[in-house]
Amino acid sequence: MSKEKEKIEKSVGSIIECIYNQLDYSSGKAMLAKLRNSMGKSNPVEVYSFLFPLIPEELLRTEEKLTDEEKLTDEEKAIIWSLQFYALLQQGRKECVNEKTSYHNLGSSLSELRKVKKDENSESFDRRFNAMILADTEEEFQVHLRHMLQLYKSKIKNGTVDFAMLAMDIYRFIHWEDGKERVRLTWSREYYKVNHKEEENND
């Protein structure tokens, strides 16, 4: 694992812990609201004041990393996007929706959609999942991610996500040349694997 991914993972975990510990106060609720309202914006200025002080300096934009100061780095995007999605899932929940595991990527979480009521068509979930992982641009990927997590929240009432791992996967997807293929493979493996075991158990 690269140093950047390690720092991204630790940063997201510590920021979520900081926000969650403040959810009983107006400051924590305000941070969640600002994160949700900033989704989809290329320059989410409303979250910079409380996020940038918590992000390690080496992950923030520098002259060496980026010539255009008005754009976020891929590291900043990965952290901010994952925190926005955390805020989306945490809304209305008392227990923390961030679950840290060594294996639980987003495909693992979304596989729960394929176990919902029998009268619901899992093929529609599969189509949305495939549209997400086959996105060509980071903008399309972000939009599909948001839609899938909104669907996950509405169908799986106690669902959790490893948001630190999600941040690392977002970074892989948008930063590395072979990152898209890696994310597509690892998420698909987990998304379909659990359902396959369920079907074997029902035979």
Side-chain angles (χ1 to χ4, degrees), residues 115-130:
K115 302 177 192 177
V116 296
K117 298 177 183 178
K118 296 292 184 181
D119 58 351
E120 297 218 30
N121 189 355
S122 67
E123 290 183 3
S124 65
F125 301 144
D126 294 351
R127 284 195 297 271
R128 290 171 184 242
F129 177 81
N130 290 332

Side-chain angles (χ1 to χ4, degrees), residues 9 12 82 98-106 108 161-172 187:
E9 179 183 21
V12 169
S82 66
N98 181 50
E99 181 182 21
K100 176 59 184 168
T101 68
S102 60
Y103 62 89
H104 203 188
N105 66 33
L106 188 65
S108 304
V161 170
D162 186 336
F163 285 97
M165 185 175 288
L166 176 58
M168 290 191 293
D169 282 342
I170 291 172
Y171 180 68
R172 289 187 181 102
W187 287 11

